[in-house]
Amino acid sequence: MNNIELVPYHCEHDAILHTFYLPEEQKQFTGMPAEMLTLAKEDPHRHPVVITASGRPVGFFILYDGDELADYTNTSEALLLRAFSIHYADQGQGFAKQGLLLLPQFISRHFPHIREIVLGVNARNQAAQNLYLKCGFINEGNTKMGRHGLQHIFKMSL
């Protein structure tokens, strides 16, 4: 298996992150790294994280600790997982699962006060729901309306 790691975003990742591609049916459910990095540079509550395989970026997501967190949980010791994606060319190799399984360890190292990870996943995005459930997230039945329809709120206690 490739050496999978979660690393805080660094500008040296830009060249590859800016080439990430997703087909439309996936793109509707997430934010692309280039666009998310632009937002993160303006918002200190957005913490970009890169999933690497043997040092090469294969995935990306944002850990968010700003005001919108209140739409997902009532604890302040939480982070919202957003814009999770794996570059299309790298899908199907277990990188998403490996990255999510490394998340609790990454958060305890970089955000030691955090006790919970939350995320919203579109009700139509069955593949992502299955992945998150396999990786330790729990669906307690809470929902909210998102930009592209109903979202299930999943949680993982740390």
Side-chain angles (χ1 to χ4, degrees):
M1 186 72 183
N2 286 303
N3 185 16
I4 310 298
E5 288 183 292
L6 296 184
V7 295
Y9 160 79
H10 188 275
C11 59
E12 71 194 20
H13 299 125
D14 279 351
I16 293 178
L17 290 176
H18 286 280
T19 67
F20 268 34
Y21 165 79
L22 291 176
E24 279 309 314
E25 68 268 14
Q26 292 180 18
K27 207 168 159 180
Q28 66 178 321
F29 297 127
T30 192
M32 295 302 286
E35 168 194 344
M36 293 298 111
L37 286 167
T38 302
L39 291 173
K41 286 178 175 122
E42 298 158 10
D43 182 353
H45 295 290
R46 294 174 190 258
H47 309 281
V49 180
V50 179
I51 303 170
T52 63
S54 304
R56 181 177 62 87
V58 295
F60 178 86
F61 58 92
I62 296 280
L63 292 173
Y64 175 82
D65 61 7
D67 293 341
E68 293 168 49
L69 194 54
D71 296 343
Y72 296 85
T73 182
N74 51 17
T75 176
S76 61
E77 297 175 330
L79 286 171
L80 174 62
L81 177 70
R82 308 179 107 159
F84 187 89
S85 68
I86 301 292
H87 181 38
Y88 192 64
D90 293 308
Q91 289 181 9
Q93 299 175 57
F95 297 145
K97 184 176 180 186
Q98 283 290 308
L100 288 169
L101 292 174
L102 291 169
L103 195 54
Q105 180 187 352
F106 179 87
I107 287 177
S108 72
R109 185 179 319 132
H110 296 278
F111 303 91
H113 63 288
I114 294 298
R115 301 281 165 258
E116 180 179 88
I117 311 163
V118 292
L119 61 85
V121 59
N122 192 287
R124 297 187 326 253
N125 193 346
Q126 199 59 54
Q129 289 181 48
N130 293 341
L131 171 70
Y132 293 130
L133 292 169
K134 261 188 227 151
C135 294
F137 283 87
I138 298 167
N139 181 355
E140 295 178 339
N142 298 320
T143 59
K144 72 181 275 308
M145 280 310 287
R147 260 197 325 237
H148 298 285
L150 187 69
Q151 290 198 325
H152 295 285
I153 298 172
F154 286 14
K155 291 182 179 184
M156 179 193 288
S157 294
L158 300 178

